Each structure stands twice: as C-alpha cells, then as structure tokens.
Amino acid sequence: MANELGAKGEAVAARYYQQRGYLLLNHNYRTRMGELDLILYKDGTLVFAEVKTRAGRQLSTPAAAVDPHKQQRLLRAAQTYLQNSPYADAPVRFDVVEVTPAEKGWQVHCIMDAFQG
C-alpha cells in the first residue's frame, strides 16, 4: 500500500515539473548507492528530486524524512548517475518535493535547492 502511494506521489511530482517545462530524464533510477526518484533537466540545470508522499496528518513534514544521512546517500547516487551522463558538466540542484492528498487532488510543495551538494 505504501509503495502504491509513493508511486502515485512520484507521478504527481513528475507532472508538476513537466507542467513547468522540465524534461523528465529518469524515474526511479537505481544505483548501488540508492534510488533517485526523479531526474529532470531545464535551462541547463540537472535536478534530482526526492519525492516524499504522506497520506495522513503527521506532525513532521514529509521533507523532514530527508535527513543528513539520506542527503549523503542521494549525493552519492547522483554522483554515480553523473559518471555516465551526457549532463555530467551541468549545474546540479537537489529538490525535495512533498506530496500530500488535498480536497481536490494533491498538494505539491517543492523545496528547491533543499540541500547543498
């Protein structure tokens, strides 16, 4: 059930970016360092987006789940991706996207440049 919710949240986040002119390069890109939810490209910048989807009311924000340990794993996974990427020389940004159910559809809160690489 949680995987279904996560997949739905990632689809909502991907659509959010695409509506803003981003090109979706990869979805659920797996490395031995971990998984990158969304890899996008726009205006010369490569964006790694970590999507956090939550169903109910919780005290912490979804982004709080991206702690320093998780950030390091994402950085290492991104470095692995970049080794074989035509975008290796592009500036990189890490976003955290919070997706929560709303009355009509989904609420998306994008924290751009959520942590520095």
Side-chain angles (χ1 to χ4, degrees):
M1 192 66 149
N3 282 356
E4 236 175 80
L5 181 67
K8 180 69 176 162
E10 288 172 5
V12 169
R15 194 164 53 249
Y16 169 89
Y17 278 104
Q18 288 170 320
Q19 288 170 344
R20 285 154 182 78
Y22 286 81
L23 175 65
L24 179 63
L25 300 176
N26 289 93
H27 180 223
N28 292 335
Y29 183 85
R30 295 181 195 283
T31 74
R32 58 187 180 82
M33 296 298 167
E35 184 180 276
L36 297 162
D37 292 339
L38 301 174
I39 304 172
L40 307 121
Y41 185 80
K42 182 180 178 185
D43 297 336
T45 299
L46 194 62
V47 178
F48 295 97
E50 176 68 10
V51 181
K52 291 296 174 192
T53 310
R54 297 291 184 266
R57 295 188 174 276
Q58 292 163 329
L59 295 177
S60 65
T61 63
V66 186
D67 60 15
H69 176 73
K70 176 74 171 173
Q71 289 181 16
Q72 284 305 310
R73 284 200 13 241
L74 291 170
L75 285 167
R76 287 195 294 273
Q79 287 167 343
T80 301
Y81 172 82
L82 288 169
Q83 288 171 0
N84 302 312
S85 170
Y87 302 96
D89 295 329
V92 170
R93 187 179 85 218
F94 290 87
D95 293 355
V96 175
V97 185
E98 301 176 337
V99 180
T100 49
E103 218 171 284
K104 292 184 171 84
W106 297 83
Q107 182 178 4
V108 177
H109 177 226
C110 180
I111 304 164
M112 296 174 86
D113 216 3
F115 53 95
Q116 302 298 316

